[in-house]
Structures are given as structure tokens and as C-alpha cells.
């Protein structure tokens, strides 16, 4: 068989070798750099993931006792849930995506148990416990339930409830009534008004049978009694929250009147006013009785009733003198002796008769009676004091320069009259109104010379972005410094060399033609090389052209 010389076409050059082949063809140094770059990029991605997950922690539980906190941390460690502390250990933080899952799992384990226990104490009743132990357990459970209810208020941070439940006995004639004491710890800056305190008292008294609301005492963390006296006379001794609020409403109402009346005259932000009200919350009651005779033309009109009683009586004369005939004769008229001679013995005369009379008169007159009861109203304004400061007037001249000019005395008198009319000025009551004119001093604008890179918000933003920016920079350095050269070498297409892949077909065997490897020539040099090859080896060129025409060049 004739020797056949076959020459591969340049199109047959495999310019898309496999990635593994190209990777294996790289030098050892490039392979090491490529592997180190991949490892560094994986580390950067993991660091970014961990940093982003650490920044998204939320509160799992807060305000836990040490016992509950230790139990929860042990349970989280068993569940392989990461956690952190906040507020000095007062709160436990977990990743935001695991908050609800962790709470449900901890709730199935009965955590947190909490320092406040309620009626769940009755679930662990032991066999054979005494009646005293059962009553004590019930009392502890009732105190815990009341504590939970009170701490649900927004202003209450913690609470403690103490119940005094006497043992009721049917043999006692007078049963002792239960009582309660509540100790509250309020959040900083929060208070309870009278309605909320009354609600707490009503809650406790309604939860215990036969408990009088007066037997419930409410105290705050400073030991002050919040429930207050129930007697009206004792409550009027001092101002409570409602009375203080009433005074504030009165003062703010008068101040608003002044602002609404004067601001359209002097301009906005050119007026300052304050009103102080002296309010009398004392309660007084007076009772008086007045008696006056009837006034009329008929004096008898004053007589309501009259009663007269007359009584008379007497005794007859009894005989007296010497018994005999002379005593039986009527007495002679008595004569006075003229001389001092002894008169003859006269006959006996009877004793003189006596008489008596009595008269009683009772007269009742009509008398007027007036009973007057006076109760003074509470919350009466005893005195008002108003102080008003008006800013100077701003005047702009023809050149556009603005100056401050004081107000004229006539204008000040008009403003004073307006203020007096607005608050209902009463001179007899002792009210006072003072209106003055003074320039307002505006606060100078302090220019912040701090550079923008030293401002707190910029520093915080840079701190927050420092970690991701640093990791991104490391990733770019790794990619462009280690991985990019290796990838560029692997993805680069090899340049075909003319005659480098020429094979001579001899006896059905491909015999490579030893040709020197030359650098890729330019376009003109390639044409010159092809022409020289056709002159030196025409058989090979003819074989190549024949294969191109017949379409077998790719198969060769």
C-alpha cells in the first residue's frame, strides 16, 4: 500500500481541553496558589455568615432569677442553641430564627418556672398532708395568682401579696375578717393614679371571700401608703393625685387663654406666660340657729296660747275670850283707851276669820327659728398670680437692617388689661398680674467643628461596616492575587503552530513529522510558511487538500 501522508488541519486542534487536564498542566506553584485561594474564599464566606448571624440576636427571656437562668442555659446547651447575655446577665439572647422554637421547647420542659408560683402548687399535693398544710398551699397559690395579675400592669415591675386568712370556726360568735397587704415596685418614672390603686384594692378584695376593701393596704417600694385613707375628712387633709391634676388643668387653662389672646398681637415665640393658682380643697360645714320675735302690727300675734288659773279660800272666825254670858254677845266696836287707866274686863270675842286667793297665768308666744347649714365647695380658686414676659418688637429699616425696639407704655397697659380680662382678674380676691417687656436672648448656634470622620454616627457606621468591608477586601485580594492568574492560565486558548501537528500516514500508520516548534508568526509569515511547505512536501499538501474536499479531514 502506497505511503499516504495525512496532514491535520488547524481546525482539528483541540483548543478546549478539559478543566482537569488544564489544571494538571499548571505548574505546582500555581496549583498551590489556586488551592489556597479557594480555601481563603471559603473561610471569608463562613466568616461573613457567622458575623451576620451573630448580629441578629433577640431576647429569649428577661428578668430571670438565677435558678431559672441556669436551668434555661443548661437546656439550651443540650439543644445546641447558641446564646448570649445582655444587661449584665439579666436577659438571655438567642438567634432571631430560633426564638419561638426555643420558647416552645423550653415550655414543654416547664421552663422558666419563675419565682412566682400559683395554683400549680395544688398539682403536687401529697398523700396524707394535714389540713394546715393544705390551707397553707392554697394561700401560697392564691398569693401567687394575685401577684401575677398585679404585675401584668404596665407600671408595676414586681409585686408581693400577703394574705391574712384567719381560720373560720362555726363555734365563734364573732368571726375574724381576712386582710391583705400589697407591696409594689414600680418602674422608674412611672406612677399609679387613684383609679389604678382602687382597681388593685378591688382585685384583691374580690379574690378573697368576705374581705373588706378597707382591709387592703397598698404600698410602694419607698414604703409610702398608696391606698390612702377611706374617710373623706382624712382624705381632705392633703392633696392627692386627682387634686394635683385639677390644679394643673386650671393653670394650663389660664395659660392657654393668655397665649391664644396675645400671640396674634405680639407674634409667635415672642411670649412667655405662667399662671399659679391657689386652690382651696378644704371642706367646712357650719350650722347656726336664729330666734326672732314675730314682727307685726298686732302684738297679740306673738301669743300662741294663754292659760289663767285662779284659786281662793278662807276659814270662819272661832269664838275666843272668857267663857260666860259676855262671850255670847256680839263684839262691841273697839275703842282706843284715852287714858292709861285700866279698862274693865270685856266680854270674850270670837277669833278673826282668814281668807286666801291664787292666780296663775301661762302665756306662750310664737318665736321664729332658722337653722342654716353651710358647706363650702371644694376646689375653689382663692388667688391667681400671672406673670407674662413679652419680647421686643422687631423693626426693619429701609436698608433691611433688623433691630429690636421696646414696646411703648401704652401698649404694655393694653396687654396687661388683656391678660387681666383673660384670667378673670379679681382685685378683692388678691389676684396679681405682672406683664413686663424684655428682649429674648436666643441661644447661639454652636458650630460643630468635628470632622465628619470623627462624628459619632459616622464612627458607629464605620464600626458596623468594618467587618464586612474587611472580609470583602480580603476576598478580593485572594481572588485577584491567587486565583485569577491560575484561572487565566487554564482558560487561555493555546495558539496553534503551523506544522506542529502534521502527521505522515505511512502504511496506515501515523508517523509524526519532526518539525521545529516556532513562535506563532504574523499573518504574512504564515502565508510564506505555507508556500514553503507546499514546495518542500507537495504530497502532504495534496493529501490535506484531498481530505478537505472529500470531507474526511476531520476523521483523519
Amino acid at each position: 500500500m502506497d505511503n499516504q501522508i495525512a496532514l491535520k488541519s488547524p481546525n482539528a486542534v483541540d483548543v478546549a481541553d478539559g478543566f482537569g487536564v488544564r489544571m494538571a498542566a499548571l505548574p505546582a506553584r500555581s496549583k498551590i496558589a489556586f488551592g489556597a485561594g479557594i480555601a481563603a474564599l471559603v473561610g471569608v464566606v463562613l466568616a461573613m455568615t457567622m458575623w451576620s448571624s451573630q448580629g441578629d440576636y433577640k431576647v429569649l427571656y428577661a428578668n430571670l432569677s438565677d435558678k431559672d437562668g441556669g436551668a434555661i442555659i443548661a437546656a439550651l446547651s443540650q439543644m445546641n442553641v447558641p446564646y448570649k447575655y445582655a444587661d449584665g446577665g439579666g436577659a438571655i439572647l438567642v438567634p432571631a430564627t430560633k426564638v419561638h422554637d426555643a420558647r416552645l421547647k423550653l415550655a414543654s420542659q416547664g421552663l422558666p418556672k419563675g419565682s412566682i408560683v400559683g395554683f400549680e402548687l395544688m398539682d403536687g399535693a401529697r398523700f396524707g398532708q394535714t389540713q394546715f398544710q393544705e390551707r397553707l398551699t392554697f394561700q401560697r397559690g392564691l398569693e401567687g395568682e394575685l401577684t401575677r395579675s398585679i404585675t401584668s400592669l404596665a407600671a408595676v415591675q414586681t409585686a408581693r401579696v400577703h394574705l391574712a386568712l384567719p381560720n373560720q370556726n362555726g363555734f365563734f360568735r364573732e368571726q375574724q375578717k381576712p386582710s391583705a397587704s400589697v407591696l409594689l415596685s414600680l418602674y422608674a418614672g412611672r406612677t399609679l393614679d387613684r383609679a389604678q390603686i382602687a382597681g388593685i384594692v378591688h382585685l384583691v378584695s374580690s379574690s378573697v371571700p368576705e374581705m373588706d376593701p378597707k382591709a387592703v393596704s397598698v404600698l410602694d417600694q419607698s414604703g409610702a401608703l398608696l391606698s390612702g385613707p377611706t374617710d373623706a375628712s382624712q382624705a381632705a387633709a392633703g392633696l392627692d393625685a386627682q387634686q394635683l391634676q385639677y390644679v394643673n388643668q386650671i393653670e394650663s387653662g389660664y395659660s392657654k387663654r393668655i397665649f391664644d389672646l396675645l400671640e396674634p398681637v405680639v407674634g409667635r415665640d415672642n411670649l412667655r406666660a405662667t399662671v399659679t393658682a391657689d386652690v382651696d380643697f378644704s371642706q367646712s360645714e357650719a350650722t347656726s340657729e336664729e330666734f326672732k320675735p314675730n314682727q307685726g302690727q298686732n302684738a297679740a300675734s306673738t301669743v300662741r296660747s294663754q292659760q289663767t288659773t285662779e284659786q281662793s279660800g278662807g276659814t270662819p272666825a272661832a269664838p275666843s275670850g272668857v267663857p260666860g254670858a259676855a262671850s255670847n254677845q256680839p263684839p262691841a266696836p273697839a275703842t282706843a283707851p284715852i287714858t292709861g287707866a285700866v279698862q274693865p274686863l270685856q266680854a270674850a270675842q270670837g277669833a278673826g276669820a282668814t281668807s286666801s286667793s291664787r292666780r296663775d297665768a301661762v302665756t306662750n308666744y310664737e318665736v321664729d327659728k332658722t337653722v342654716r347649714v353651710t358647706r363650702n365647695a371644694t376646689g375653689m380658686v382663692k388667688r391667681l398670680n400671672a406673670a407674662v414676659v413679652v419680647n421686643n418688637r422687631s423693626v426693619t429699616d429701609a436698608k433691611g437692617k433688623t433691630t429690636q425696639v421696646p414696646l411703648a407704655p401704652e401698649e404694655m397697659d393694653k396687654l396687661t388689661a388683656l391678660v387681666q380680662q383673660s384670667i378673670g382678674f379679681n382685685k378683692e380676691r388678691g389676684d396679681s398680674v405682672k406683664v413686663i417687656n424684655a428682649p429674648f436672648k436666643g441661644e447661639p448656634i454652636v458650630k460643630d467643628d468635628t470632622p465628619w470622620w470623627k462624628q459619632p454616627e459616622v464612627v458607629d457606621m464605620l464600626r458596623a461596616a468594618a467587618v464586612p468591608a474587611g472580609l470583602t477586601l480580603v476576598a478580593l485580594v485572594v481572588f485577584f492575587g491567587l486565583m485569577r492568574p491560575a484561572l487565566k492560565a487554564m482558560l487561555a486558548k493555546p495558539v496553534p503552530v503551523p506544522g506542529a501537528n502534521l502527521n505522515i500516514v505511512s502504511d496506515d500508520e501515523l508517523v509524526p513529522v519532526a518539525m521545529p516548534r516556532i513562535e506563532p508568526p504574523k499573518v504574512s509569515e504564515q502565508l510564506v510558511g505555507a508556500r514553503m511547505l507546499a514546495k518542500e512536501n507537495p504530497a502532504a499538501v495534496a493529501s490535506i487538500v484531498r481530505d478537505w474536499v472529500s470531507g474526511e479531514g476531520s476523521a483523519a
Side-chain angles (χ1 to χ4, degrees), residues 427-443:
K427 187 176 181 181
E428 297 178 356
R429 191 173 55 184
D431 297 348
S432 65
V433 174
K434 188 66 176 179
V435 180
I436 64 174
N437 176 216
F440 287 4
K441 293 184 178 180
E443 296 182 357

Side-chain angles (χ1 to χ4, degrees), residues 496-536:
V497 180
N501 295 327
L502 293 177
N503 298 326
I504 298 175
V505 180
S506 177
D507 297 333
D508 297 334
E509 291 182 2
L510 292 176
V511 179
V513 178
M515 298 182 65
R517 181 178 182 88
I518 60 177
E519 295 296 331
K522 297 181 179 180
V523 178
S524 60
E525 295 178 356
Q526 291 179 359
L527 293 176
V528 173
R531 292 172 182 173
M532 293 176 61
L533 180 61
K535 293 179 180 180
E536 296 176 356

Side-chain angles (χ1 to χ4, degrees), residues 289-413:
E289 293 186 0
E290 297 179 358
F291 298 91
K292 296 181 179 179
N294 289 335
Q295 304 293 332
Q297 297 180 358
N298 190 4
S301 62
T302 61
V303 178
R304 182 177 62 182
S305 63
Q306 187 175 6
Q307 181 180 2
T308 303
T309 302
E310 295 183 359
Q311 184 180 1
S312 63
T315 57
S320 61
V322 178
S327 60
N328 294 328
Q329 295 178 358
T335 58
I338 299 175
T339 61
V342 177
Q343 296 294 329
L345 180 64
Q346 295 181 356
Q349 297 179 358
T354 61
S355 63
S356 62
S357 62
R358 180 180 179 182
R359 183 177 181 179
D360 296 331
V362 178
T363 303
N364 295 323
Y365 294 91
E366 289 287 353
V367 179
D368 292 340
K369 179 180 180 181
T370 302
V371 179
R372 182 179 293 106
V373 179
T374 305
R375 295 185 178 90
N376 293 335
T378 60
M380 296 183 61
V381 178
K382 297 173 60 177
R383 184 180 180 183
L384 289 176
N385 298 324
V388 181
V389 181
V390 182
N391 191 14
N392 290 340
R393 179 184 292 108
S394 298
V395 178
T396 304
D397 55 7
K399 297 181 180 180
K401 184 179 180 181
T402 303
T403 57
Q404 299 290 333
V405 178
L407 299 179
E410 295 79 7
E411 295 179 348
M412 294 300 300
D413 295 339

Side-chain angles (χ1 to χ4, degrees), residues 414-435:
K414 293 180 181 179
L415 295 178
T416 303
L418 289 176
V419 173
Q420 291 178 353
Q421 293 297 325
S422 64
I423 66 173
F425 178 79
N426 188 355
K427 187 176 181 181
E428 297 178 356
R429 191 173 55 184
D431 297 348
S432 65
V433 174
K434 188 66 176 179
V435 180

Side-chain angles (χ1 to χ4, degrees), residues 23-37:
M23 184 68 185
L26 291 176
R29 183 177 179 180
S30 299
K31 294 179 181 179
I32 295 174
F34 187 76

Side-chain angles (χ1 to χ4, degrees), residues 4 10 38-39 47 82 102 130-131 158 185 199 202 204 255 260 271 323 357 363 400 414 478 490 501 505 513 517:
Q4 296 180 358
I38 293 177
T130 62
Q131 184 180 4
T158 58
S185 179
H202 185 73
V204 176
S255 299
D260 294 342
L271 179 69
S357 62
T363 303
K414 293 180 181 179
V478 169
M490 287 187 295
N501 295 327
V505 180
V513 178
R517 181 178 182 88

